[in-house]
Amino acid sequence: MRPVRDSLLLLSRSHSVKRLITTLPVSAAVVRSYVPGERAEDAVVAADRLASEGINVTLDYLGEDTTDVEQAEATVAAYLDLLKQLSAKGLARRAEASVKLTAIGLALDDAVAPGGGRKIALENARAICRAARNVGTTVTIDMEDHTTTDQTLAILRDLRKDFPETGAVLQAYLFRTEADCRALAYAGSRVRLCKGAYDEPSEVAYTDPDDVDKSYVRCLKILLGHSGAEGDCYPMIATHDPRLVEIASSLASRYGRAQGSYEFQMLYGIRPAEQRRLAAAGETVRVYIPYGTEWYGYLMRRLAERPRNLTFFLTSLIKKS
């Protein structure tokens, strides 16, 4: 699959291919099935539609690896505008924000940002968390590649001192994640568990899909099985895998988890019928909606990071044609 991934990564930097995808009616329609648009208004419309179907959302303003302070500040401003629009539409109860720390300054060095990227990212994350709380919603701090995991969890701990409702994300393919699950499995702790999408080295991550799935189940048992005197943690089960959805449902039942004490999460445009089925069955479902001008790179990297996702894309393309 490596040649496929390398080709997709190369295409992610091609402006001519982006123009082709956005101008051909069929492919443009498929792209809109995965990324609703470039503006906050586009994301809010998608959120409103899903909310009308009983499905919650988390919205990600696309962009990462910010290289200057102004760009980080512009990203913060975009989130503040998004939260204001969600509040005005009465959607705050069903919508939260997902934030990548490298998009708001984590990667900046001391020469660019006094105090360094960690300080800037923490200050910016606090501003977004404060705005989210003011409109009645929350923030989840997205996880990125393994080189940022320690910094991301350290900033999460700092944020939770003032904003304990802030969500965490853990990636099951990393060897360390079972231990991180145990550390984060406490009352009120919101933890999104995903398989992981970055191309990680075998020194830090499982590379065999079966091993990743087994790790995911072990982590699920830790999160769903937590029951303390002060209450349960709140697992956010992020997977499109039908088998893992079934296993998660079975484990929730085994551990006496009531519906609403956990949730399922899926990407916008992937398995929408399953999203509706789970919601109709009384499960809490949240859809991850990416938007912004960086959508093309996001889409191609998503396909490159997990080439099996290409099947979803191509199947949709065939059905639309």
Side-chain angles (χ1 to χ4, degrees):
M1 299 300 284
R2 182 170 292 276
V4 175
R5 183 172 65 245
D6 292 346
S7 296
L8 289 169
L9 288 174
L10 181 63
L11 289 176
S12 73
R13 297 186 289 272
S14 171
H15 295 291
S16 59
V17 175
K18 177 182 179 181
R19 284 194 300 272
L20 181 64
I21 288 177
T22 53
T23 53
L24 285 176
V26 171
S27 58
V30 172
V31 169
R32 286 195 297 273
S33 297
Y34 292 90
V35 183
E38 297 188 349
R39 306 173 305 155
E41 291 83 353
D42 301 319
V44 171
V45 168
D48 193 26
R49 178 180 58 78
L50 286 165
S52 71
E53 299 175 355
I55 296 174
N56 298 334
V57 300
T58 183
L59 298 111
D60 173 24
Y61 178 68
L62 292 168
E64 54 191 287
D65 299 326
T66 294
T67 56
D68 58 67
V69 174
E70 291 75 18
Q71 188 179 357
E73 291 174 346
T75 299
V76 174
Y79 274 108
L80 300 187
D81 176 58
L82 171 69
L83 290 165
K84 185 182 299 183
Q85 291 195 40
L86 290 170
S87 179
K89 289 286 188 180
L91 292 170
R93 183 175 62 86
R94 286 197 170 274
E96 65 155 34
S98 283
V99 178
K100 288 181 173 61
L101 292 178
T102 65
I104 57 172
L106 183 62
L108 300 178
D109 58 31
D110 292 342
V112 175
R118 187 184 184 284
K119 179 175 182 291
I120 294 293
L122 177 57
E123 290 175 353
N124 286 336
R126 280 188 175 131
I128 298 170
C129 287
R130 188 176 302 110
R133 178 183 285 179
N134 287 342
V135 301
T137 190
T138 56
V139 170
T140 291
I141 301 300
D142 278 345
M143 192 60 74
E144 303 178 63
D145 72 85
H146 80 279
T147 64
T148 67
T149 301
D150 284 329
Q151 294 182 83
T152 299
L153 292 177
I155 288 176
L156 175 74
R157 287 192 294 271
D158 284 341
L159 285 171
R160 283 187 169 181
K161 293 173 184 176
D162 296 315
F163 306 97
E165 67 273 23
T166 305
V169 178
L170 296 176
Q171 301 172 110
Y173 66 0
L174 295 180
F175 298 150
R176 62 175 291 167
T177 299
E178 285 183 69
D180 289 332
C181 281
R182 292 189 183 93
L184 287 170
Y186 55 82
S189 177
R190 299 169 59 247
V191 182
R192 179 196 298 156
L193 178 66
C194 60
K195 287 187 180 182
Y198 291 86
D199 185 20
E200 300 286 17
S202 59
E203 290 80 13
V204 300
Y206 299 106
T207 56
D208 184 277
D210 288 338
D211 290 334
V212 176
D213 288 353
K214 290 174 184 176
S215 175
Y216 194 99
V217 173
R218 291 194 299 270
C219 292
L220 270 182
K221 289 178 178 178
I222 295 168
L223 298 174
L224 284 168
H226 174 270
S227 182
E230 297 181 354
D232 300 333
C233 72
Y234 185 82
M236 301 182 286
I237 305 161
T239 182
H240 307 103
D241 188 325
R243 191 165 58 101
L244 288 179
V245 170
E246 184 177 350
I247 289 171
S249 297
S250 177
L251 287 173
S253 178
R254 179 194 302 180
Y255 292 120
R257 284 286 192 146
Q259 289 181 327
S261 68
Y262 60 92
E263 67 182 47
F264 288 98
Q265 295 192 353
M266 296 186 183
L267 293 173
Y268 184 79
I270 296 185
R271 302 197 73 204
E274 176 68 357
Q275 297 166 15
R276 292 191 292 269
R277 183 193 72 81
L278 288 168
E283 299 287 6
T284 301
V285 179
R286 190 178 302 276
V287 169
Y288 188 101
I289 300 178
Y291 75 99
T293 58
E294 298 300 313
W295 66 264
Y296 174 71
Y298 160 86
L299 179 63
M300 300 306 288
R301 286 194 302 272
R302 176 69 63 178
L303 298 176
E305 290 158 356
R306 285 279 171 178
R308 285 178 296 176
N309 288 343
L310 187 60
T311 302
F312 287 113
F313 186 84
L314 294 177
T315 299
S316 298
L317 190 62
I318 292 168
K319 287 180 178 178
K320 294 270 187 182
S321 61

